[in-house]
Amino acid sequence: MDVSWTLWALTILGLSALIAVDFFIGRRPHDVSTKEAGIWTIIWITLAVLFGLGLLVFGDSRASGEFFAGFITEKSLSVDNLFVFVLIMAKFSVPSHLQQRVLLVGVLIALVLRAVFIAAGAAVIANFSWVFYIFGAFLIYTAWKLVQEARADEEGEEFEENRLLKSIERRFGVADRYHGTKLFIRDKGKRVLTPLMVVMLAIGTTDVLFALDSIPAIFGLTQDPYIVFTANAFALMGLRQLYFLIGGLLKKLVHLSYGLSVILGFIGVKLVLHALHESGVHVPEISIPVSLGVICGVLVITTITSLIADRKRKQAEAAADEKAGIDA
């Protein structure tokens, strides 16, 4: 898809305006209700759908299909990110009324950092087509790793700060308590970070680690930097509301890691086939409609099996409790 600098500028301005509106609405610290989160989740998804339909009308069906495949994939991977966000919030004991501010700024940091990743990835792909082999192999390895992690017992899992975050804390120091929405305060004459600033940095920098999976994954669906960027932007911008909407449901998605491993493995194979095709080897390539169908099908099946497994677990626990009561 041929994208002019004017369209790039208009898109960035439009996304910036949406982020500004989101920030204006969430500027006042408050506990986000399920109703509020649900309404805004629907709004963000609707905007993404309208954008994809706009690509279909003013662009072409391929660009639209690639956007929807990329958006659904990134949205699915971002849901997995929410597990870590929950751990971060618990680690730093973030007050409930400040969590929406943390996510808003943290996601904004993540969006800027991902834009850098996307620009670098597009430059590498444009000059070195063999990088598709590396991306494909990495995604297949990641898929296998996800399966191994899903099988492992994750009880007692805790968030561990990365080295960058630890070095920032050592360099600037951290206050011993939250000070409303302040990011810096004066403590004994020294300017130090507040825990709120640390959590924002944790959310933003941790998302970069997830980008190591998601950026190669979306480049496996499209090599158009414009579609890669917009799909990531729309997937991330609704993440804050999604956190409050399905935060309590995350534990029910017990098979999500298996589903994501299938999707990443599938895209990894697609990348390898594309790399072979680019090298002159006559191999079948997986079309966007097929990719979109596989991604949606896996997510639907994963959700259904997760809910069934969660219901069976609750029934087993209820039966065990009933039996324990009778024995007592």
Side-chain angles (χ1 to χ4, degrees):
M1 181 178 173
D2 187 21
V3 180
S4 65
W5 285 109
T6 301
L7 181 56
W8 266 108
L10 290 174
T11 301
I12 293 174
L13 284 174
L15 292 173
S16 298
L18 291 174
I19 293 172
V21 170
D22 194 23
F23 188 86
F24 177 79
I25 293 172
R27 71 190 187 284
R28 181 179 59 83
H30 65 284
D31 292 326
V32 179
S33 66
T34 302
K35 180 181 179 181
E36 178 186 344
I39 291 173
W40 279 102
T41 296
I42 292 173
I43 290 175
W44 283 117
I45 293 177
T46 300
L47 289 173
V49 170
L50 290 175
F51 182 84
L53 293 177
L55 289 177
L56 178 62
V57 174
F58 299 103
D60 53 62
S61 58
R62 181 179 180 83
S64 179
E66 289 177 348
F67 171 79
F68 281 118
F71 171 73
I72 293 172
T73 299
E74 293 298 313
K75 201 69 173 178
S76 305
L77 291 170
S78 69
V79 170
D80 198 38
N81 297 5
L82 295 182
F83 284 101
V84 178
F85 290 175
V86 170
L87 294 176
I88 293 175
M89 296 293 189
K91 166 79 174 181
F92 293 97
S93 301
V94 182
S96 59
H97 67 282
L98 292 178
Q99 290 184 7
Q100 53 87 24
R101 177 64 65 86
V102 169
L103 289 169
L104 179 61
V105 178
V107 168
L108 182 59
I109 294 172
L111 184 58
V112 173
L113 294 177
R114 283 201 183 202
V116 175
F117 269 59
I118 291 167
V124 171
I125 288 174
N127 293 281
F128 307 102
S129 59
W130 50 263
V131 79
F132 285 116
Y133 288 110
I134 297 176
F135 278 4
F138 177 73
L139 288 180
I140 293 172
Y141 167 75
T142 302
W144 174 82
K145 187 178 178 183
L146 269 178
V147 172
Q148 299 293 38
E149 291 177 353
R151 289 179 175 177
D153 183 12
E154 297 181 353
E155 291 294 327
E157 183 180 5
E158 294 183 358
F159 168 74
E160 294 183 5
E161 299 177 46
N162 55 55
R163 292 182 179 178
L164 174 62
L165 197 58
K166 289 180 178 179
S167 65
I168 292 175
E169 291 178 5
R170 287 195 299 267
R171 171 66 180 81
F172 295 97
V174 182
D176 59 356
R177 62 183 178 85
Y178 287 89
H179 292 264
T181 58
K182 291 182 179 179
L183 304 181
F184 296 91
I185 64 164
R186 287 282 179 183
D187 184 22
K188 298 178 181 179
K190 181 182 178 183
R191 187 179 175 86
V192 298
L193 302 173
T194 65
L196 186 67
M197 182 63 173
V198 177
V199 180
M200 289 177 178
L201 292 174
I203 294 287
T205 56
T206 299
D207 185 81
V208 174
L209 300 178
F210 287 108
L212 296 177
D213 299 337
S214 63
I215 298 301
I218 196 170
F219 271 116
L221 298 169
T222 176
Q223 285 81 59
D224 190 326
Y226 181 76
I227 296 177
V228 172
F229 174 73
T230 51
N232 266 274
F234 278 105
L236 280 177
M237 285 193 299
L239 193 58
R240 177 171 67 91
Q241 290 81 3
L242 196 62
Y243 171 88
F244 295 105
L245 181 64
I246 68 172
L249 301 177
L250 288 176
K251 292 183 179 180
K252 293 184 178 182
L253 301 177
V254 293
H255 295 160
L256 179 62
S257 293
Y258 292 106
L260 293 178
S261 68
V262 172
I263 291 173
L264 290 178
F266 168 77
I267 298 176
V269 172
K270 184 179 185 297
L271 273 172
V272 172
L273 290 176
H274 178 73
L276 290 170
H277 182 78
E278 290 291 311
S279 300
V281 180
H282 296 289
V283 294
E285 284 205 89
I286 302 173
S287 66
I288 287 298
V290 171
S291 299
L292 192 55
V294 170
I295 292 168
C296 291
V298 169
L299 290 175
V300 170
I301 293 172
T302 298
T303 301
I304 292 173
T305 58
S306 292
L307 295 177
I308 292 174
D310 182 70
R311 186 176 63 182
K312 289 182 177 179
R313 178 184 63 80
K314 288 183 177 179
Q315 290 175 346
E317 289 178 352
D321 291 341
E322 183 179 352
K323 186 182 182 212
I326 294 174
D327 292 341

